[in-house]
Structures are given as C-alpha cells and as structure tokens.
C-alpha cells in the first residue's frame, strides 16, 4: 500500500468512491480548497458527480474502473463503509489510500466492530454471533429479550434487522445463509453521536456531541450541542479519543451512542465517513466535518473545533423535500441543502436543513413542518 505523510496539496486530485450526498458535500469542501475531484458511482450524474471534475460510471467492485480512478487521483477516499475491500486493496499501490482497509474491515462488519470496541474497553451491548436458527435461539436464551437481530454486513437505516420481542418472532427471521449478530436491546434515554478525526500530527479533533432523534430507524433530527450533562459530553470525548487512537484513524469517523438512564454512555455503532448528524458543522462550526475529512486524508493539520451557536439539523426524507422547497421562501433562517437526487422515494434522504440561534425551542419551532 502506497503510504506517505507528505501533505497532498491543491490542485491534487481526490478520488471518491461513492457518489451520494456525503460524497457531494465532501467534494464541495475539496473544491473550495482548490482540489480536483473524481467520483466513481454507478448512477450517472449522481449527487457527488454534479459538483466533481469527472465521474467514472461503474459498479463499486469494478476493479478496472477503480484502477482508472486510482491512476487519475493523488489520494482515494470513500463515502460509505460497504466498499469492496478487495478491489480497494488491488489499487492501493497506484495511489494513496490513507484510510487503508483495516478501518473498513472493522466497521463494515458488526461483529468485528463490537469485538474491536470491547478490546478498547468501551461499553457495548451484549451480543452474539448468529448463523443458524439454533444459534439465534441459543443467543436469545443467553442474552434474553427484547433484542435485535441484524445482518453482520450490509445493513443501514433499519434495513436487514428484525426485532425479537417474543419467542415466536424467532421463526419469522429469514437468516438466508448469512452471518448475523443478535444484540440485547437497551433502554436508553437519548441517542447521541460525535464526529472525530486525527490530523497530520496525530492530534485528535473532536466535534460537539449531537442529540439525535430517529424515525423508522432513520436519523431525522439532530440537536447540537446535545442536551445532556457535561459529564456525558466528557465521556463522549474520552471514548472518541480512545477509539480514534486505537484505529490509528485517518479521515472522519462518526460514533453513535446510547445515553443510559444512569448517565453513562454505551457505543452503538461506528461510521468510517462523514455522518448525517455532523451536517450542522457546515454552517455552525469554524470547520465542517467534510473539510476536516479532506484535511485529514491529505495530511494537513486541523484546528480545534468551535461551534458558533446552537443548531438543529433536520433530514428531509422522501416528499419532505417537496414540502421544504415549498416552504423555503418563508424561512430566510434556513440553510437549505437539496442533494439533487433524480428520484424522490419514501424514506430516502433527499436533503437537509440547518438552523442556528440561541434558543433550541425556537429552532425546533422553525422546523415544525417536518415533525
């Protein structure tokens, strides 16, 4: 693997594997800094491609296409964790892949991720490996109910998971010869997340803690800073620092937490990329999660993060984008982001809105249309 700590400076070319909205905002940050951007995505005119210098239209596991992107790029990154790691490894001698594949191997597989977090001494829910119905029954007997059975790889936004509330639920799960993880469901008071990265000197940079509200397992609203005690925020920073150093992190990482009734945090999941709950940072902080990511993979230093004002971010899912467009003329306070996706589909992330001000209640009122 081609690795260097030498700064990668504009007008170098950054290749992004994935052309969705995270890649789009990543590309915009890179373009502001003077970098060239190339995107590989199977969808022509994907959101990231709309703001990039070029797009290679191909499947993510197309080694020939990825080779073309690598040869045209000074550094490669990705916008989602379900990257074909073998394909990425095959082109890693052609250009810099500063994030490597270890982080992907850990975070793209829920069992590997939970094992890694436990090895860091970070609290996680009780869990068990499941391949057969007998395994699932044994896991339920050992861990108890209620629980959640999730695919070890490939699931997102509630896809590939089932609730297990009673024994009869076990027989409704189609395991489909894949690897699964059974997790004890936790009774928590809030969900929260934090973005973390490391810069060229290995300094850990942590963003403010976000309080998150979900709809059908999809993030819908984030409140920043989270409305929790300072002790909870300190725990989040401590855990984020521990995880970032254990991963030898390059690039941005999202860490999702459960805030437990006793005020302690439990890590739920990791995301080795920009995260929905960090979108507020574009307007509300001195540096966004996307610029921090670009700086990290290009071996540049990153300033300490400061939030200017409290913020609320809401995802526009499906037809909420149509509502948002209609309401936009009435709301000059909205920072409106339309991802430019070709088709509106139910529960699909179509855009987001960020508002800032001193009163969280007023900010939530400004976005009440999306409740």
């Amino acid at each position: 693997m081609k690795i260097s700590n030498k700064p990668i400076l504009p007008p170098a070319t950054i290749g992004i594997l994935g052309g969705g909205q995270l890649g789009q905002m990543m590309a915009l940050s890179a373009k502001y800094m003077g970098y060239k951007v190339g995107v590989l995505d199977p969808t022509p005119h994907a959101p990231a491609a709309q703001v990039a210098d070029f797009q290679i239209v191909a499947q993510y596991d197309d080694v020939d296409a990825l080779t073309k992107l690598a040869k045209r790029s000074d550094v490669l990154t990705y916008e989602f964790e379900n990257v074909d790691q073998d394909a990425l490894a095959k082109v890693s001698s052609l250009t810099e892949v500063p994030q490597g594949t270890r982080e992907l191997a850990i975070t793209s597989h829920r069992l590997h991720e939970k094992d890694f977090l436990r090895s860091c001494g970070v609290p996680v829910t009780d869990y068990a490996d499941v391949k057969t119905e007998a395994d699932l029954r044994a896991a339920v007997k050992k861990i108890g109910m209620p629980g959640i059975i999730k695919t070890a790889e490939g699931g997102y936004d509630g896809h590939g998971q089932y609730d297990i509330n009673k024994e009869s639920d076990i027989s409704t799960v189609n395991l489909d010869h894949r690897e699964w993880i059974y997790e004890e469901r936790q009774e928590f008071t809030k969900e929260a997340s934090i973005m973390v990265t490391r810069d060229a000197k290995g300094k850990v940079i942590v963003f403010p803690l976000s309080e998150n509200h979900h709809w059908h397992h999809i993030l819908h609203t984030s409140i920043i800073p989270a409305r929790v005690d300072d002790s909870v925020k300190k725990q989040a920073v401590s855990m984020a620092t521990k995880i970032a150093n254990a991963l030898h992190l390059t690039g941005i990482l999202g860490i999702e937490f459960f805030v437990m009734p006793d005020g302690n945090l439990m890590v739920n999941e990791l995301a080795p990329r920009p995260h929905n709950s960090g979108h507020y940072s574009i307007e509300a902080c001195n540096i966004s999660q996307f610029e921090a990511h670009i700086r990290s993979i290009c071996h540049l230093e990153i300033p300490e993060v400061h939030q200017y004002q409290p913020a609320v971010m809401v995802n526009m899912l499906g037809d909420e984008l149509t509502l948002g467009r209609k309401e936009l003329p009435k709301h000059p306070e909205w920072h409106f982001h339309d991802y430019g996706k070709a088709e509106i589909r139910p529960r699909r992330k179509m855009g987001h809105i960020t508002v800032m001000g001193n009163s969280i209640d007023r900010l939530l009122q400004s976005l009440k249309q999306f409740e």
Side-chain angles (χ1 to χ4, degrees):
M1 185 171 292
K2 187 177 178 182
I3 297 175
S4 169
N5 289 322
K6 184 179 178 181
I8 301 170
L9 300 174
T13 298
I14 298 172
I16 303 175
L17 186 54
Q21 66 268 19
L22 299 179
Q24 182 186 71
M25 289 177 273
M26 197 186 294
L28 285 168
S29 282
K31 293 294 291 178
Y32 283 138
M33 297 176 70
Y35 291 98
K36 306 296 184 184
V37 176
V39 172
L40 189 154
D41 193 277
T43 304
H45 310 297
Q50 295 169 21
V51 299
D53 293 278
F54 66 90
Q55 178 185 6
I56 296 173
V57 180
Q59 297 297 322
Y60 303 124
D61 60 354
D62 186 327
V63 176
D64 289 340
L66 190 53
T67 299
K68 290 178 183 176
L69 180 65
K71 287 181 176 179
R72 295 182 67 177
S73 303
D74 298 286
V75 59
L76 277 185
T77 186
Y78 42 80
E79 66 140 17
F80 61 100
E81 52 266 56
N82 297 316
V83 172
D84 188 305
Q85 295 166 40
D86 291 336
L88 191 61
K90 287 177 181 176
V91 302
S92 61
S93 63
L94 302 175
T95 189
E96 284 207 42
V97 187
Q99 293 159 277
T101 56
R102 175 175 175 261
E103 184 182 339
L104 279 174
I106 291 170
T107 58
S108 65
H109 193 285
R110 287 188 169 99
L111 281 159
H112 297 166
E113 183 174 275
K114 286 288 194 294
D115 290 344
F116 165 75
L117 290 168
R118 268 192 176 168
S119 73
C120 293
V122 173
V124 295
T125 193
D126 201 5
Y127 63 96
D129 187 6
V130 171
K131 295 186 180 68
T132 65
E133 185 175 321
D135 292 340
L136 179 54
R137 292 187 181 279
V140 170
K141 184 175 181 180
K142 176 186 175 185
I143 294 172
M145 293 182 285
I148 306 173
I149 179 81
K150 303 177 181 178
T151 55
E153 297 180 276
Y156 67 97
D157 287 345
H159 298 282
Q161 66 183 56
Y162 301 87
D163 293 331
I164 305 294
N165 297 312
K166 53 188 183 299
E167 194 162 340
S168 60
D169 290 337
I170 295 174
S171 59
T172 67
V173 179
N174 178 15
L175 296 176
D176 194 29
H177 307 291
R178 289 187 288 174
E179 191 171 17
W180 298 72
I181 182 172
Y182 180 72
E183 298 178 358
E184 180 184 8
R185 187 187 299 159
Q186 295 294 326
E187 294 296 327
F188 50 84
T189 60
K190 290 181 188 289
E191 292 181 87
S193 60
I194 204 164
M195 305 308 301
V196 62
T197 188
R198 297 196 316 164
D199 71 4
K201 293 187 175 181
K203 181 177 67 174
V204 175
I205 307 296
V206 183
F207 283 75
L209 186 67
S210 171
E211 174 186 336
N212 300 326
H213 299 267
H214 290 77
W215 179 77
H216 293 287
H217 302 288
I218 304 171
L219 178 66
H220 192 259
T221 306
S222 291
I223 299 167
I224 312 96
R227 296 170 296 182
V228 296
D229 291 341
D230 285 345
S231 61
V232 177
K233 296 175 184 177
K234 289 177 181 177
Q235 283 182 65
V237 171
S238 175
M239 290 184 191
T241 302
K242 187 181 293 187
I243 291 167
N245 285 329
L247 279 174
H248 306 291
L249 180 65
T250 299
I252 201 84
L253 176 78
I255 306 173
E256 298 178 12
F257 299 102
F258 295 140
V259 183
M260 306 306 290
D262 62 1
N264 288 317
L265 287 176
M266 179 178 287
V267 175
N268 178 32
E269 289 185 343
L270 304 179
R273 50 167 173 77
H275 191 268
N276 249 210
S277 65
H279 290 348
Y280 73 93
S281 61
I282 297 172
E283 289 88 17
C285 295
N286 61 313
I287 184 170
S288 74
Q289 64 166 339
F290 301 100
E291 183 179 344
H293 179 80
I294 296 300
R295 284 179 170 272
S296 181
I297 64 169
C298 290
H299 314 303
L300 302 174
E301 292 188 52
I302 303 171
E304 295 290 339
V305 177
H306 302 289
Q307 184 176 353
Y308 300 126
Q309 285 183 301
V312 173
M313 186 282 302
V314 65
N315 274 322
M316 291 181 285
L317 306 176
D319 275 331
E320 288 182 335
L321 175 63
T322 303
L323 173 63
R325 288 169 174 169
K326 181 181 177 181
E327 293 290 314
L328 179 58
K330 305 174 189 176
H331 292 277
E333 76 279 11
W334 285 3
H335 295 277
F336 191 84
H337 296 256
D338 184 335
Y339 302 147
K341 294 185 177 180
E343 181 184 2
I344 294 177
R345 296 200 298 263
R347 303 189 186 186
R348 191 183 196 191
K349 297 185 183 89
M350 302 302 301
H352 75 268
I353 299 169
T354 300
V355 289
M356 297 183 295
N358 293 325
S359 169
I360 293 295
D361 288 339
R362 287 200 195 97
L363 298 180
L364 290 169
Q365 182 69 16
S366 170
L367 298 167
K368 66 179 181 179
Q369 299 94 327
F370 304 100
E371 291 178 354

